[in-house]
Amino acid sequence: MAGTRDDDAAWHAYARAVGTELHRRRIEAGLTQETLAHLAGMTRSHYRVLETGGSATSPANPTLRAMSRLAAALGIDVQDLLPTTGR
Amino acid sequence: MAGTRDDDAAWHAYARAVGTELHRRRIEAGLTQETLAHLAGMTRSHYRVLETGGSATSPANPTLRAMSRLAAALGIDVQDLLPTTGR
C-alpha cells in the first residue's frame, strides 16, 4: 500500500535508477548538468537532485512535465529514462 | 523553450493522452475511479484530474511517484501509460 516504509525504499531505488539513466543519457548527449537543467527550465541544483535520486528521507520525485522537458532536451521519450519493473 | 504558450499547449495534449490511456487501462482492469485512486493513495478528485488531463489553464502534472503507484495498482509499468512522441 502507498506510504509504507517498503514503499518508500522501493521508490528511492526507482528514483536512483531514473537518475542513473538520466546521467548516462546526459553524458551520451555531451551536455553539462548546467546546460541540460537550463534547457529543461529548472535550476542546476534541482537537476542534481534528480540525477542522484535524492536521499532516503527525501527521494527525488519529479513531475511528469519536468521529465518530459528533460527527455525533449535529450531528444528522447520520457519512457527512455524509466526503468522497467518487468510487470 | 520551457514555459512558452506552445509548450503549455503541447503539455496539455500530452497530459490528455496520458489520461486517455489511464482511463483505458482502468476500464480494462475493471476498476472504478474510486478504487484505483485508493490503491494509488490519492483522492478520487485528484485521480479524476489525471484521467481528464486537467484544463488548458491548469493541465494535469502528476509526480512520477503518483504515476508509479497508479501503474503498480494496474499491474503495468509507468511507460505503459505514456504516449510515445516518436523522438
Side-chain angles (χ1 to χ4, degrees), chain A residues 1-3 7-8 11 14 18 38 41 61-65 68-69 71-72 75-79 82-87, chain B residues 1-3 7-8 11 14 18 38 41 61-65 68-69 71-72 75-79 82-87:
Chain A
M1 256 303 288
D7 179 56
D8 291 341
W11 172 253
Y14 185 96
V18 171
H38 175 73
N61 185 19
T63 64
L64 196 52
R65 189 167 190 181
S68 175
R69 283 182 173 146
I76 58 178
D77 273 332
V78 174
Q79 290 84 320
L82 303 181
T84 43
T85 58
R87 285 191 196 103
Chain B
M1 255 304 288
D7 179 56
D8 292 340
W11 172 254
Y14 186 96
V18 171
H38 175 73
N61 186 17
T63 64
L64 195 53
R65 190 167 190 182
S68 176
R69 285 181 171 147
I76 57 178
D77 273 332
V78 174
Q79 292 82 323
L82 302 181
T84 44
T85 58
R87 285 191 197 106

Side-chain angles (χ1 to χ4, degrees), chain A:
Chain A
M1 256 303 288
T4 60
R5 194 167 299 167
D6 291 351
D7 179 56
D8 291 341
W11 172 253
H12 188 215
Y14 185 96
R16 283 201 312 273
V18 171
T20 302
E21 186 61 21
L22 198 50
H23 176 265
R24 194 179 73 79
R25 295 283 184 156
R26 175 174 64 79
I27 300 298
E28 205 174 71
L31 298 175
T32 63
Q33 288 189 337
E34 190 93 40
T35 304
L36 181 51
H38 175 73
L39 289 171
M42 62 180 68
T43 64
R44 186 176 165 207
S45 59
H46 180 200
Y47 176 79
R48 238 193 341 241
V49 169
L50 300 188
E51 202 170 275
T52 61
S55 66
T57 51
S58 176
N61 185 19
T63 64
L64 196 52
R65 189 167 190 181
M67 291 299 293
S68 175
R69 283 182 173 146
L70 287 166
L74 290 166
I76 58 178
D77 273 332
V78 174
Q79 290 84 320
D80 299 322
L81 292 169
L82 303 181
T84 43
T85 58
R87 285 191 196 103

